Amino acid sequence: MLRPATDEDRDAMLVWRNHPQVREVSLTQHEIGADEHAAWWESTKTRSDRAVYIYERGGIPSGVVTFFDLDREAATSWWGYYLDNDGLTERGELLPAWIQIQREAKRLAFGELGLHTLEGEVLAANEAVRQFNRRNGF
């Protein structure tokens, strides 16, 4: 399930985003500080060209989907996502969550958000995600 992110999700999003495995495959790879994250969140939550959702698996917050450069008139957006790698790994649910978050994000993008085009970037070295994206129609 995807639901809009709230202020209560802010700290968890930072922990998940700073996980070494997440940073390693992100365009921004430095460890994000609390002040930097707080400023990002304060700006993001009020912008019409961004939408942030929390992915819940079994009722447990487990990841983030971000739509950015969201143009509702043109029905286009860029997107990215990351998961609570540690929590999902402990529960033995990382791979199924990875599959589900992408499917739910696509459903939300082309359904509720009414998008026609969804763009994303993947680092060339992140071959696992590149292959996974191809399998899912990206």
Side-chain angles (χ1 to χ4, degrees):
M1 176 185 107
L2 291 175
R3 61 165 174 80
T6 67
D7 289 341
E8 289 75 31
D9 299 308
R10 187 185 78 180
D11 293 343
M13 286 191 285
L14 177 59
V15 170
W16 302 336
R17 177 57 181 81
N18 274 337
H19 189 282
Q21 291 172 324
V22 172
R23 286 196 342 260
E24 179 180 296
V25 296
S26 297
L27 297 177
T28 302
Q29 296 187 332
H30 70 275
E31 187 165 341
I32 298 168
D35 290 343
E36 179 183 0
H37 182 67
W40 169 83
W41 176 244
E42 285 305 310
S43 170
T44 294
K45 70 182 184 177
T46 61
R47 292 175 60 166
S48 62
D49 66 337
R50 294 200 173 211
V52 180
Y53 293 85
I54 296 298
Y55 164 69
E56 290 188 352
R57 184 164 178 81
I60 301 169
S62 301
V64 177
V65 175
T66 304
F67 296 96
F68 56 96
D69 293 339
L70 176 60
D71 184 334
R72 293 176 194 270
E73 279 188 41
T76 63
S77 185
W78 286 76
W79 78 302
Y81 68 95
Y82 52 91
L83 294 164
D84 171 14
N85 283 17
D86 287 342
L88 289 162
T89 298
E90 284 177 20
R91 296 190 304 274
E93 297 180 337
L94 186 59
L95 181 57
W98 194 29
I99 294 167
Q100 186 180 31
I101 194 172
Q102 197 172 78
R103 287 181 180 162
E104 290 190 18
K106 282 176 42 179
R107 213 176 354 247
L108 178 74
F110 297 114
E112 182 180 324
L113 295 179
L115 300 179
H116 297 295
T117 303
L118 186 60
E119 304 273 354
E121 289 181 285
V122 178
L123 296 175
N126 194 353
E127 189 57 32
V129 170
R130 292 165 55 89
Q131 287 179 11
F132 184 70
N133 286 349
R134 277 193 286 276
R135 272 189 233 123
N136 283 312
F138 290 102

